Amino acid sequence: MTLLGGTGAIRQHLFVLAPNNSGSTFLTRALGLSPGAWSLPREGQHLPGFAGPSSRATGTGLLWAATPERIAAFADPAAYDWARTRRAWHFHARAETPAASVLVIASPPFVLIADQLAQAFPEARFVLLVRNPWATAEGILRGTPGPPDPAVAARHLVAAFAAQRRNRDLLGPRATSLTYEAMCRDPGAAAAGIEALVPALGPVTLDRRIAVKGSYDEQLRDMNAEQIARLAPSARAAIDPIFAVPRELFAAFGYAEPPR
């Protein structure tokens, strides 16, 4: 039986912070199937009652970090009411077991506001997820109404990765860092790291079949090679020089060299 409305039962929040198109939908849904988890029917930013800027309401789509102005709009503390948002999230939450106590939440723009989340939810824990930026760019370009600009997508990802690097330093032991590639290569090890961070989730299983965004429903697997292969030469010509400037930024996450 599915339990609805977690008010009074939710005692901890687990935020999955990741640039969009990085595998966070799969990860969040898999975590939401854990026995200790409450989940939301969609991204936290898109639920009725969320009091803050969303990618839909701002018209920024998948490119909410593409310009300093967009970043400032999402990072503005005055734009959020976390007490109201907490009530809305708890109202919409659902769980599969009466023992569930951890609400799993994801919204890509939240990469920009880890400091606010850490303050508003002092018991919260965080999973910081990234993915090969070239594969991520392909997913963004494919999901953006055309004709999308590869350079804009690249600048968006540079800003999102920079925010994620700051999040690692800011959150310290309240977070665990994970790459999409490591999750696909060894889902058991990735699950163990999350279980250690949030024991109340209970057993976490990532090696499972999950429906994602209506586009596929299959076991976890690394889709990087096929997505990078879909990047047109003109897109690579626009993306590669932008990604080359902050090479040390991507190297800090294990992406030192561009794919061939």
Side-chain angles (χ1 to χ4, degrees):
M1 179 180 68
T2 300
L3 305 174
L4 301 177
T7 300
I10 294 170
R11 294 186 291 276
Q12 190 171 25
H13 299 77
L14 175 60
F15 291 94
V16 177
L17 302 185
N20 44 300
N21 299 81
S22 298
S24 61
T25 300
F26 182 99
L27 177 58
T28 302
R29 291 186 180 176
L31 293 176
L33 296 173
S34 302
W38 288 86
S39 63
L40 297 174
R42 59 184 66 90
E43 291 180 9
Q45 65 168 332
H46 296 320
L47 282 170
F50 172 69
S54 71
S55 56
R56 290 177 184 168
T58 58
T60 54
L62 301 178
L63 299 168
W64 35 265
T67 67
E69 293 76 17
R70 293 182 180 187
I71 293 171
F74 278 95
D76 181 8
Y80 296 89
D81 182 337
W82 292 115
R84 177 182 169 192
T85 292
R86 182 194 296 262
R87 291 193 296 270
W89 284 347
H90 288 201
F91 175 79
H92 291 289
R94 57 194 181 191
E96 298 301 323
T97 72
S101 63
V102 181
L103 179 59
V104 182
I105 306 160
S107 287
F110 287 0
V111 165
L112 302 175
I113 57 168
D115 57 339
Q116 295 187 47
L117 296 172
Q119 181 175 8
F121 301 88
E123 85 307 327
R125 297 295 181 265
F126 301 83
V127 177
L128 308 182
L129 177 69
V130 293
R131 183 184 184 185
N132 180 290
W134 284 267
T136 307
E138 189 281 331
I140 291 173
L141 293 173
R142 182 161 34 89
T144 300
D149 187 334
V152 174
R155 289 194 292 270
H156 163 79
L157 283 171
V158 169
F161 267 75
Q164 195 73 303
R165 184 167 63 178
R166 291 192 297 272
N167 294 341
R168 291 199 310 192
D169 296 336
L170 169 73
L171 297 170
R174 295 180 64 179
T176 186
S177 294
L178 181 64
T179 68
Y180 166 85
E181 296 78 18
M183 179 173 68
C184 293
R185 183 172 58 252
D186 192 344
I194 297 170
E195 290 173 6
L197 181 72
V198 191
L201 274 179
V204 171
T205 302
L206 300 181
D207 189 10
R208 62 164 79 228
R209 189 182 185 97
I210 298 284
V212 176
K213 299 180 181 178
S215 59
Y216 68 92
D217 180 358
E218 56 184 90
Q219 291 291 124
L220 177 65
R221 67 181 180 88
D222 190 332
M223 299 183 179
N224 281 355
E226 59 199 76
Q227 290 192 221
I228 292 170
R230 283 199 292 259
L231 283 171
S234 58
R236 286 294 300 266
I239 291 170
D240 286 0
I242 295 172
F243 283 176
V245 174
R247 184 62 54 79
E248 78 288 346
L249 171 63
F250 293 132
F253 292 95
Y255 308 113
E257 298 296 332
R260 298 185 181 278

